[in-house]
Amino acid sequence: MTYVVTDNCIACKYTDCVEVCPVNCFYEGDDMLYINPEECIDCEACVPECPVNAIVSDSDASQEWIDTNANFDGYNEDNRRTAKDDVTHGPNWEG
């Protein structure tokens, strides 16, 4: 099992979830964050921290969102996300 980021994160990018991730498996795309399923250790620490309920277990996610996270082409160090105190993005964020 792993966790996936779903559509509630689109145009959001809060980083509360990133801050608590012990393996730093979050990556930033153009309009949302992604969890690398190869790095996620299934600890669930990020789930209660997400203020928009965008993170779910892959057993509760649609295949579309499992594939979206698994096939994100930005899993590289340039896109690895760390928590940032100055980020206050929320619903309907327009970058």
Coordinates of all heavy atoms in Angstrom, one line a residue:
M1 N 0.8 -1.2 0.0 CA 0.0 0.0 0.0 C 0.9 1.2 0.0 O 2.0 1.3 0.6 CB -0.9 0.0 1.2 CG -1.9 1.1 1.3 SD -3.1 1.1 2.6 CE -2.1 1.4 4.0
T2 N 0.4 2.3 -0.6 CA 1.0 3.6 -0.6 C 0.0 4.6 -0.6 O -1.2 4.3 -0.7 CB 2.0 3.7 -1.9 OG1 2.7 4.9 -1.7 CG2 1.2 3.8 -3.2
Y3 N 0.4 5.9 -0.5 CA -0.6 7.0 -0.5 C -0.5 7.8 -1.8 O 0.6 7.8 -2.4 CB -0.4 7.8 0.7 CG -0.9 7.1 1.9 CD1 -0.1 6.2 2.6 CD2 -2.2 7.2 2.3 CE1 -0.6 5.5 3.7 CE2 -2.7 6.5 3.4 CZ -1.9 5.6 4.1 OH -2.4 4.9 5.1
V4 N -1.6 8.3 -2.2 CA -1.6 9.1 -3.5 C -2.2 10.5 -3.2 O -3.1 10.6 -2.3 CB -2.3 8.4 -4.6 CG1 -1.6 7.1 -5.0 CG2 -3.8 8.1 -4.3
V5 N -1.8 11.4 -4.0 CA -2.4 12.8 -4.0 C -3.5 12.8 -5.0 O -3.3 12.4 -6.2 CB -1.3 13.9 -4.2 CG1 -2.0 15.2 -4.2 CG2 -0.2 13.8 -3.2
T6 N -4.6 13.3 -4.7 CA -5.8 13.4 -5.6 C -6.1 14.8 -6.0 O -5.4 15.7 -5.7 CB -7.0 12.7 -5.0 OG1 -7.4 13.4 -3.8 CG2 -6.7 11.2 -4.6
D7 N -7.2 14.9 -6.7 CA -7.6 16.2 -7.3 C -7.9 17.3 -6.4 O -7.8 18.5 -6.8 CB -8.9 16.0 -8.2 CG -10.1 15.4 -7.5 OD1 -9.9 14.7 -6.5 OD2 -11.2 15.7 -8.0
N8 N -8.1 17.1 -5.1 CA -8.2 18.2 -4.1 C -7.0 19.0 -4.0 O -7.0 20.1 -3.5 CB -8.6 17.7 -2.8 CG -10.1 17.2 -2.7 OD1 -10.8 17.4 -3.6 ND2 -10.5 16.7 -1.5
C9 N -5.9 18.5 -4.5 CA -4.6 19.2 -4.4 C -4.4 20.1 -5.6 O -3.5 21.0 -5.6 CB -3.4 18.2 -4.3 SG -1.8 19.0 -4.0
I10 N -5.2 20.0 -6.6 CA -5.0 20.8 -7.8 C -5.2 22.3 -7.4 O -6.2 22.6 -6.8 CB -5.9 20.4 -9.0 CG1 -5.5 19.0 -9.4 CG2 -5.9 21.3 -10.1 CD1 -6.5 18.3 -10.4
A11 N -4.3 23.1 -7.8 CA -4.4 24.5 -7.5 C -4.4 24.8 -6.0 O -5.0 25.8 -5.5 CB -5.6 25.2 -8.2
C12 N -3.7 24.0 -5.3 CA -3.6 24.2 -3.8 C -2.2 24.3 -3.3 O -1.7 25.4 -3.0 CB -4.3 23.0 -3.1 SG -4.3 23.1 -1.3
K13 N -1.5 23.2 -3.2 CA -0.1 23.2 -2.8 C 0.2 23.6 -1.4 O 1.3 24.2 -1.1 CB 0.8 23.9 -3.8 CG 0.9 23.3 -5.2 CD 2.0 24.1 -6.0 CE 2.0 23.6 -7.4 NZ 3.0 24.3 -8.2
Y14 N -0.7 23.4 -0.5 CA -0.3 23.5 0.9 C 0.9 22.5 1.2 O 1.0 21.5 0.5 CB -1.4 23.1 1.9 CG -2.5 24.1 2.1 CD1 -3.8 23.9 1.6 CD2 -2.2 25.3 2.7 CE1 -4.8 24.8 1.9 CE2 -3.3 26.3 2.9 CZ -4.5 26.0 2.5 OH -5.5 26.9 2.7
T15 N 1.7 22.8 2.1 CA 2.9 21.9 2.4 C 2.9 21.3 3.8 O 3.9 20.8 4.2 CB 4.2 22.7 2.1 OG1 4.3 23.8 3.0 CG2 4.3 23.1 0.7
D16 N 1.7 21.3 4.4 CA 1.6 20.7 5.7 C 2.0 19.2 5.7 O 2.7 18.7 6.6 CB 0.2 20.8 6.3 CG -0.3 22.3 6.3 OD1 -0.3 22.9 5.3 OD2 -0.8 22.7 7.4
C17 N 1.6 18.6 4.6 CA 1.9 17.2 4.5 C 3.3 16.9 4.2 O 3.9 15.9 4.7 CB 1.1 16.6 3.3 SG 1.3 17.6 1.7
V18 N 4.0 17.8 3.5 CA 5.4 17.6 3.2 C 6.2 17.7 4.5 O 7.2 17.0 4.7 CB 5.8 18.7 2.2 CG1 7.3 18.7 1.9 CG2 5.0 18.6 0.9
E19 N 5.8 18.6 5.3 CA 6.6 18.9 6.5 C 6.7 17.7 7.4 O 7.7 17.5 8.1 CB 5.9 20.0 7.3 CG 6.7 20.5 8.5 CD 6.1 21.7 9.1 OE1 5.4 22.5 8.4 OE2 6.3 21.9 10.3
V20 N 5.7 16.8 7.4 CA 5.7 15.6 8.3 C 6.2 14.4 7.7 O 6.3 13.3 8.4 CB 4.3 15.4 9.0 CG1 3.9 16.6 9.8 CG2 3.3 15.0 7.9
C21 N 6.5 14.4 6.4 CA 6.9 13.2 5.7 C 8.3 12.8 6.1 O 9.3 13.5 5.8 CB 6.8 13.4 4.2 SG 7.3 11.9 3.2
P22 N 8.5 11.6 6.7 CA 9.8 11.2 7.2 C 10.8 10.8 6.0 O 12.0 10.8 6.3 CB 9.6 10.0 8.1 CG 8.3 9.5 7.6 CD 7.5 10.6 7.1
V23 N 10.3 10.6 4.8 CA 11.2 10.2 3.7 C 11.2 11.2 2.6 O 11.8 11.0 1.5 CB 10.8 8.8 3.2 CG1 11.1 7.7 4.2 CG2 9.4 8.7 2.7
N24 N 10.5 12.3 2.7 CA 10.5 13.4 1.8 C 10.2 12.9 0.4 O 10.9 13.1 -0.6 CB 11.9 14.1 1.8 CG 11.9 15.5 1.1 OD1 10.8 16.1 1.0 ND2 13.0 15.9 0.7
C25 N 9.0 12.3 0.2 CA 8.6 11.6 -1.0 C 7.6 12.5 -1.8 O 7.0 12.0 -2.8 CB 8.1 10.2 -0.8 SG 6.5 10.2 0.1
F26 N 7.5 13.8 -1.5 CA 6.6 14.7 -2.2 C 7.4 15.4 -3.3 O 8.5 15.9 -3.1 CB 5.9 15.7 -1.3 CG 4.8 15.1 -0.5 CD1 5.1 14.5 0.7 CD2 3.5 15.2 -0.9 CE1 4.0 13.9 1.5 CE2 2.5 14.7 -0.2 CZ 2.7 14.0 1.0
Y27 N 6.7 15.6 -4.4 CA 7.3 16.3 -5.6 C 6.3 17.3 -6.1 O 5.1 17.0 -6.0 CB 7.7 15.3 -6.7 CG 8.9 14.4 -6.3 CD1 8.7 13.3 -5.4 CD2 10.2 14.7 -6.7 CE1 9.7 12.5 -5.0 CE2 11.2 13.9 -6.3 CZ 11.0 12.8 -5.5 OH 12.0 12.0 -5.1
E28 N 6.8 18.4 -6.6 CA 6.0 19.4 -7.1 C 5.8 19.4 -8.6 O 6.8 19.5 -9.3 CB 6.5 20.8 -6.6 CG 5.6 21.9 -7.0 CD 6.1 23.2 -6.4 OE1 7.2 23.3 -5.8 OE2 5.4 24.2 -6.5
G29 N 4.6 19.4 -9.1 CA 4.3 19.6 -10.5 C 3.8 21.0 -10.7 O 3.8 21.9 -9.8
D30 N 3.3 21.3 -11.9 CA 2.8 22.6 -12.2 C 1.7 23.1 -11.3 O 1.6 24.3 -11.0 CB 2.4 22.7 -13.7 CG 3.6 22.6 -14.6 OD1 4.7 22.9 -14.2 OD2 3.3 22.2 -15.8
D31 N 0.7 22.2 -11.0 CA -0.4 22.7 -10.3 C -0.8 21.8 -9.1 O -1.8 22.1 -8.5 CB -1.6 22.8 -11.2 CG -2.0 21.4 -11.9 OD1 -1.3 20.5 -11.7 OD2 -3.0 21.4 -12.5
M32 N 0.0 20.9 -8.7 CA -0.2 20.1 -7.5 C 1.0 19.3 -7.1 O 2.1 19.4 -7.8 CB -1.4 19.1 -7.8 CG -1.0 18.0 -8.9 SD -2.3 16.8 -9.1 CE -2.2 15.7 -7.7
L33 N 0.9 18.7 -5.9 CA 2.0 17.9 -5.4 C 1.7 16.4 -5.8 O 0.6 16.0 -6.0 CB 2.1 18.0 -3.9 CG 2.4 19.4 -3.4 CD1 2.4 19.4 -1.9 CD2 3.7 20.0 -3.9
Y34 N 2.8 15.6 -5.8 CA 2.7 14.2 -6.1 C 3.5 13.4 -5.0 O 4.5 13.9 -4.5 CB 3.2 13.9 -7.5 CG 2.5 14.5 -8.6 CD1 2.8 15.8 -8.9 CD2 1.5 13.9 -9.3 CE1 2.2 16.5 -10.0 CE2 0.8 14.5 -10.3 CZ 1.2 15.8 -10.7 OH 0.5 16.4 -11.7
I35 N 3.0 12.2 -4.7 CA 3.7 11.3 -3.9 C 4.4 10.2 -4.7 O 3.7 9.5 -5.5 CB 2.8 10.6 -2.8 CG1 2.3 11.7 -1.8 CG2 3.6 9.5 -2.1 CD1 1.3 11.1 -0.8
N36 N 5.7 10.0 -4.6 CA 6.4 9.0 -5.4 C 6.1 7.7 -4.7 O 6.5 7.4 -3.6 CB 7.9 9.3 -5.4 CG 8.6 8.3 -6.3 OD1 8.2 7.2 -6.5 ND2 9.8 8.7 -6.8
P37 N 5.4 6.8 -5.4 CA 5.0 5.5 -4.7 C 6.2 4.6 -4.5 O 6.1 3.7 -3.6 CB 4.0 4.9 -5.7 CG 4.4 5.5 -7.0 CD 4.8 6.9 -6.7
E38 N 7.3 4.8 -5.1 CA 8.5 4.1 -4.9 C 9.2 4.5 -3.6 O 10.0 3.7 -3.1 CB 9.5 4.2 -6.1 CG 8.9 3.7 -7.4 CD 8.6 2.2 -7.4 OE1 9.5 1.4 -6.8 OE2 7.6 1.8 -7.9
E39 N 8.9 5.7 -3.1 CA 9.6 6.2 -1.9 C 8.7 6.2 -0.7 O 9.1 6.2 0.4 CB 10.1 7.6 -2.2 CG 11.1 7.7 -3.3 CD 11.5 9.1 -3.6 OE1 11.0 10.1 -3.1 OE2 12.4 9.2 -4.5
C40 N 7.4 6.3 -0.9 CA 6.4 6.3 0.2 C 6.5 5.1 1.1 O 6.6 3.9 0.6 CB 5.0 6.4 -0.3 SG 3.7 6.5 0.9
I41 N 6.6 5.2 2.4 CA 6.7 4.1 3.3 C 5.4 3.8 4.0 O 5.4 3.0 5.0 CB 7.9 4.3 4.3 CG1 7.6 5.6 5.2 CG2 9.2 4.4 3.6 CD1 8.5 5.7 6.4
D42 N 4.3 4.3 3.6 CA 3.0 4.0 4.1 C 2.8 4.4 5.5 O 2.1 3.7 6.2 CB 2.7 2.5 3.8 CG 2.9 2.1 2.4 OD1 2.8 2.9 1.5 OD2 3.3 0.9 2.2
C43 N 3.5 5.4 6.0 CA 3.4 5.7 7.4 C 2.1 6.5 7.8 O 1.8 6.5 8.9 CB 4.6 6.5 7.8 SG 4.6 8.2 7.2
E44 N 1.5 7.1 6.8 CA 0.2 7.8 7.0 C 0.3 9.1 7.7 O -0.7 9.8 8.0 CB -0.8 6.9 7.7 CG -2.2 7.3 7.5 CD -3.2 6.4 8.2 OE1 -3.0 5.1 8.2 OE2 -4.3 6.9 8.7
A45 N 1.5 9.6 7.9 CA 1.7 10.8 8.7 C 1.1 12.0 7.9 O 0.6 13.0 8.5 CB 3.2 11.1 9.0
C46 N 1.2 12.0 6.6 CA 0.7 13.1 5.8 C -0.8 13.2 5.7 O -1.3 14.3 5.5 CB 1.3 13.0 4.4 SG 0.8 11.4 3.5
V47 N -1.5 12.1 5.9 CA -2.9 12.1 5.7 C -3.7 13.1 6.6 O -4.4 14.0 6.1 CB -3.5 10.7 5.8 CG1 -5.0 10.7 5.7 CG2 -2.9 9.8 4.7
P48 N -3.5 13.1 7.9 CA -4.3 14.0 8.7 C -3.8 15.5 8.6 O -4.5 16.4 9.0 CB -4.1 13.5 10.1 CG -2.8 12.7 10.1 CD -2.7 12.1 8.7
E49 N -2.6 15.7 8.0 CA -2.0 17.0 7.9 C -2.5 17.8 6.7 O -2.4 19.0 6.6 CB -0.5 17.0 7.9 CG 0.1 16.4 9.1 CD -0.2 17.2 10.4 OE1 -0.3 18.4 10.3 OE2 -0.5 16.5 11.4
C50 N -3.1 17.1 5.7 CA -3.6 17.7 4.5 C -4.9 18.5 4.8 O -5.9 17.8 5.1 CB -3.8 16.7 3.4 SG -4.4 17.5 1.9
P51 N -4.9 19.8 4.7 CA -6.1 20.6 5.1 C -7.2 20.5 4.0 O -8.3 20.9 4.3 CB -5.5 22.0 5.2 CG -4.3 22.0 4.3 CD -3.7 20.7 4.4
V52 N -6.9 19.9 2.9 CA -7.9 19.8 1.8 C -8.3 18.3 1.5 O -9.0 18.0 0.6 CB -7.6 20.5 0.5 CG1 -7.5 22.0 0.8 CG2 -6.3 19.9 -0.1
N53 N -7.8 17.4 2.4 CA -8.1 16.0 2.3 C -7.8 15.4 0.9 O -8.6 14.6 0.3 CB -9.6 15.7 2.6 CG -9.9 16.1 4.0 OD1 -9.2 15.8 5.0 ND2 -11.0 16.8 4.2
A54 N -6.6 15.8 0.4 CA -6.2 15.3 -1.0 C -5.4 14.0 -1.0 O -5.2 13.5 -2.0 CB -5.4 16.4 -1.6
I55 N -5.0 13.5 0.2 CA -4.2 12.4 0.3 C -5.0 11.2 0.8 O -5.6 11.2 1.8 CB -3.0 12.6 1.2 CG1 -2.2 13.8 0.7 CG2 -2.1 11.4 1.2 CD1 -1.1 14.3 1.6
V56 N -5.0 10.1 0.0 CA -5.7 8.9 0.3 C -4.8 7.7 0.1 O -3.9 7.7 -0.7 CB -7.0 8.8 -0.4 CG1 -8.0 9.9 -0.1 CG2 -6.8 8.6 -1.9
S57 N -5.2 6.6 0.7 CA -4.5 5.3 0.5 C -4.8 4.9 -0.9 O -5.9 5.1 -1.5 CB -5.1 4.3 1.5 OG -4.8 3.0 1.0
D58 N -3.9 4.2 -1.6 CA -4.1 3.7 -2.9 C -5.3 2.7 -3.0 O -5.9 2.6 -4.0 CB -2.9 3.1 -3.5 CG -2.3 1.9 -2.8 OD1 -2.8 1.5 -1.8 OD2 -1.3 1.3 -3.3
S59 N -5.6 2.1 -1.8 CA -6.8 1.2 -1.8 C -8.1 2.0 -1.8 O -9.1 1.4 -2.1 CB -6.7 0.3 -0.6 OG -6.8 1.0 0.6
D60 N -8.1 3.2 -1.5 CA -9.3 4.1 -1.5 C -9.3 5.1 -2.7 O -10.2 5.8 -2.9 CB -9.4 4.9 -0.3 CG -9.6 4.0 1.0 OD1 -10.2 3.0 0.8 OD2 -9.1 4.4 2.0
A61 N -8.2 5.1 -3.5 CA -8.1 6.0 -4.6 C -8.6 5.3 -5.9 O -8.5 4.1 -6.1 CB -6.7 6.4 -4.8
S62 N -9.0 6.2 -6.9 CA -9.4 5.6 -8.2 C -8.1 5.3 -8.9 O -7.0 5.8 -8.6 CB -10.2 6.7 -9.0 OG -9.3 7.8 -9.3
Q63 N -8.2 4.4 -9.9 CA -7.1 4.0 -10.7 C -6.4 5.2 -11.4 O -5.2 5.3 -11.6 CB -7.4 2.9 -11.7 CG -6.2 2.3 -12.4 CD -5.3 1.6 -11.4 OE1 -5.8 0.8 -10.6 NE2 -4.0 1.9 -11.5
E64 N -7.3 6.2 -11.8 CA -6.8 7.4 -12.4 C -5.7 8.1 -11.6 O -4.7 8.5 -12.0 CB -7.9 8.3 -12.7 CG -7.5 9.7 -13.2 CD -8.6 10.7 -13.3 OE1 -9.7 10.4 -12.9 OE2 -8.3 11.8 -13.9
W65 N -6.0 8.2 -10.2 CA -5.1 9.0 -9.4 C -3.9 8.1 -9.0 O -2.8 8.6 -8.8 CB -5.8 9.6 -8.2 CG -6.6 10.7 -8.7 CD1 -8.0 10.8 -8.8 CD2 -6.1 12.0 -9.1 NE1 -8.3 12.0 -9.4 CE2 -7.2 12.7 -9.6 CE3 -4.8 12.5 -9.2 CZ2 -7.1 14.0 -10.1 CZ3 -4.7 13.8 -9.7 CH2 -5.8 14.5 -10.2
I66 N -4.1 6.8 -8.9 CA -2.9 5.9 -8.7 C -1.9 6.1 -9.9 O -0.7 6.3 -9.7 CB -3.4 4.5 -8.5 CG1 -4.2 4.3 -7.2 CG2 -2.2 3.5 -8.5 CD1 -4.9 3.0 -7.1
D67 N -2.5 6.0 -11.1 CA -1.7 6.2 -12.3 C -1.0 7.5 -12.4 O 0.1 7.7 -12.8 CB -2.5 5.9 -13.5 CG -2.9 4.4 -13.6 OD1 -2.4 3.6 -12.9 OD2 -3.8 4.1 -14.4
T68 N -1.8 8.6 -12.0 CA -1.3 10.0 -12.1 C -0.1 10.1 -11.2 O 0.9 10.7 -11.7 CB -2.4 11.0 -11.7 OG1 -3.5 10.9 -12.6 CG2 -1.9 12.4 -11.6
N69 N -0.1 9.6 -10.0 CA 1.0 9.7 -9.1 C 2.2 8.8 -9.6 O 3.3 9.2 -9.6 CB 0.6 9.3 -7.7 CG -0.1 10.5 -7.0 OD1 0.5 11.2 -6.2 ND2 -1.4 10.7 -7.3
A70 N 1.9 7.6 -10.0 CA 2.9 6.7 -10.4 C 3.6 7.1 -11.7 O 4.8 6.9 -11.9 CB 2.3 5.3 -10.7
N71 N 2.9 7.8 -12.6 CA 3.4 8.2 -13.9 C 3.9 9.6 -14.0 O 4.3 10.0 -15.1 CB 2.4 7.9 -15.0 CG 2.1 6.4 -15.1 OD1 2.9 5.5 -14.9 ND2 0.8 6.1 -15.3
F72 N 3.9 10.3 -12.9 CA 4.4 11.7 -12.9 C 5.8 11.7 -13.4 O 6.7 11.0 -12.9 CB 4.3 12.3 -11.5 CG 4.9 13.7 -11.4 CD1 4.4 14.7 -12.2 CD2 5.8 14.0 -10.5 CE1 5.0 16.0 -12.1 CE2 6.4 15.2 -10.3 CZ 5.9 16.3 -11.1
D73 N 6.1 12.5 -14.4 CA 7.4 12.5 -15.0 C 8.4 13.5 -14.3 O 9.5 13.6 -14.8 CB 7.4 12.8 -16.5 CG 6.9 14.2 -16.8 OD1 6.5 14.9 -15.9 OD2 6.8 14.5 -18.0
G74 N 8.0 14.0 -13.2 CA 8.9 15.0 -12.5 C 9.6 14.5 -11.3 O 10.0 15.2 -10.4
Y75 N 9.7 13.1 -11.1 CA 10.4 12.6 -10.0 C 11.9 12.8 -10.1 O 12.6 11.9 -10.6 CB 10.0 11.1 -9.7 CG 8.6 11.0 -9.3 CD1 7.7 10.1 -9.9 CD2 8.1 11.7 -8.2 CE1 6.4 9.9 -9.5 CE2 6.8 11.5 -7.8 CZ 6.0 10.6 -8.4 OH 4.7 10.5 -8.0
N76 N 12.4 14.0 -9.8 CA 13.8 14.3 -9.8 C 14.1 15.3 -8.7 O 13.2 15.9 -8.1 CB 14.3 14.8 -11.2 CG 13.5 16.0 -11.6 OD1 13.6 17.0 -10.9 ND2 12.8 16.0 -12.7
E77 N 15.3 15.5 -8.4 CA 15.7 16.3 -7.2 C 15.2 17.8 -7.4 O 15.0 18.5 -6.5 CB 17.2 16.3 -7.0 CG 17.6 14.9 -6.3 CD 16.8 14.6 -5.1 OE1 16.7 15.4 -4.2 OE2 16.3 13.4 -5.0
D78 N 15.2 18.2 -8.7 CA 14.7 19.6 -8.9 C 13.3 19.8 -8.5 O 12.9 20.9 -8.1 CB 14.8 20.0 -10.4 CG 16.3 20.1 -10.8 OD1 17.2 20.3 -10.0 OD2 16.5 20.0 -12.0
N79 N 12.5 18.8 -8.5 CA 11.1 18.9 -8.1 C 10.7 18.4 -6.7 O 9.6 18.4 -6.3 CB 10.2 18.2 -9.1 CG 10.2 18.8 -10.5 OD1 10.4 20.1 -10.6 ND2 10.1 18.0 -11.5
R80 N 11.7 17.8 -6.0 CA 11.5 17.3 -4.7 C 11.1 18.5 -3.8 O 11.7 19.5 -3.8 CB 12.7 16.6 -4.1 CG 12.4 15.9 -2.8 CD 13.6 15.2 -2.2 NE 14.1 14.1 -3.0 CZ 13.7 12.8 -2.9 NH1 12.8 12.5 -2.0 NH2 14.2 11.9 -3.7
R81 N 10.0 18.3 -3.1 CA 9.4 19.4 -2.4 C 9.8 19.3 -0.9 O 9.8 18.3 -0.3 CB 7.9 19.4 -2.5 CG 7.2 20.5 -1.8 CD 7.6 21.8 -2.5 NE 7.1 23.0 -1.8 CZ 6.1 23.7 -2.3 NH1 5.5 23.5 -3.4 NH2 5.7 24.7 -1.6
T82 N 10.1 20.5 -0.4 CA 10.3 20.6 1.1 C 9.3 21.6 1.6 O 8.8 22.4 0.8 CB 11.8 21.1 1.4 OG1 12.0 22.3 0.7 CG2 12.8 20.0 1.0
A83 N 9.0 21.5 2.9 CA 8.1 22.5 3.4 C 8.6 23.9 3.4 O 9.8 24.1 3.6 CB 7.7 22.1 4.9
K84 N 7.7 24.8 3.1 CA 8.1 26.2 3.0 C 7.2 27.0 3.9 O 6.0 27.0 3.7 CB 8.1 26.7 1.6 CG 9.1 26.0 0.7 CD 9.0 26.5 -0.7 CE 10.0 25.7 -1.6 NZ 9.9 26.1 -3.0
D85 N 7.8 27.8 4.8 CA 6.9 28.6 5.7 C 6.1 29.6 5.0 O 5.1 30.0 5.4 CB 7.8 29.2 6.8 CG 8.4 28.2 7.8 OD1 7.8 27.1 7.9 OD2 9.4 28.5 8.3
D86 N 6.7 30.1 3.9 CA 6.0 31.3 3.2 C 4.9 30.8 2.3 O 4.3 31.7 1.7 CB 7.0 32.1 2.5 CG 7.8 31.4 1.4 OD1 7.8 30.1 1.5 OD2 8.3 32.0 0.6
V87 N 4.7 29.5 2.1 CA 3.6 29.1 1.2 C 2.3 29.1 1.9 O 2.1 28.4 2.9 CB 4.0 27.7 0.6 CG1 2.8 27.2 -0.2 CG2 5.2 27.8 -0.2
T88 N 1.4 29.8 1.4 CA 0.0 29.8 2.0 C -1.0 29.5 0.9 O -2.1 30.0 1.0 CB -0.3 31.2 2.6 OG1 -0.1 32.2 1.7 CG2 0.6 31.4 3.8
H89 N -0.6 28.8 -0.1 CA -1.6 28.5 -1.2 C -2.7 27.7 -0.6 O -2.6 26.9 0.3 CB -0.9 27.7 -2.3 CG 0.3 28.4 -2.9 ND1 1.3 27.7 -3.5 CD2 0.5 29.7 -3.1 CE1 2.2 28.6 -4.0 NE2 1.7 29.8 -3.7
G90 N -3.8 27.9 -1.3 CA -5.0 27.1 -0.9 C -5.9 26.9 -2.0 O -5.5 27.0 -3.2
P91 N -7.1 26.4 -1.8 CA -8.1 26.2 -2.9 C -8.2 27.4 -3.8 O -8.2 28.5 -3.4 CB -9.4 25.9 -2.1 CG -8.9 25.4 -0.8 CD -7.7 26.2 -0.5
N92 N -8.2 27.0 -5.1 CA -8.3 28.0 -6.2 C -7.1 28.9 -6.3 O -7.2 30.0 -6.9 CB -9.6 28.9 -6.0 CG -10.8 28.1 -5.9 OD1 -11.0 27.1 -6.7 ND2 -11.7 28.4 -4.9
W93 N -6.0 28.4 -5.8 CA -4.7 29.2 -6.0 C -4.4 29.4 -7.5 O -4.6 28.5 -8.3 CB -3.6 28.4 -5.3 CG -2.2 28.9 -5.6 CD1 -1.7 30.1 -5.2 CD2 -1.2 28.3 -6.4 NE1 -0.4 30.2 -5.7 CE2 -0.1 29.1 -6.4 CE3 -1.1 27.1 -7.1 CZ2 1.1 28.8 -7.1 CZ3 0.0 26.8 -7.8 CH2 1.1 27.6 -7.8
E94 N -4.0 30.5 -7.8 CA -3.6 30.8 -9.2 C -2.2 31.3 -9.2 O -1.9 32.5 -9.0 CB -4.6 31.8 -9.8 CG -6.0 31.3 -10.0 CD -6.9 32.2 -10.7 OE1 -6.4 33.1 -11.4 OE2 -8.1 32.0 -10.5
G95 N -1.2 30.4 -9.4 CA 0.2 30.6 -9.3 C 0.7 31.8 -10.0 O 1.7 32.3 -10.1

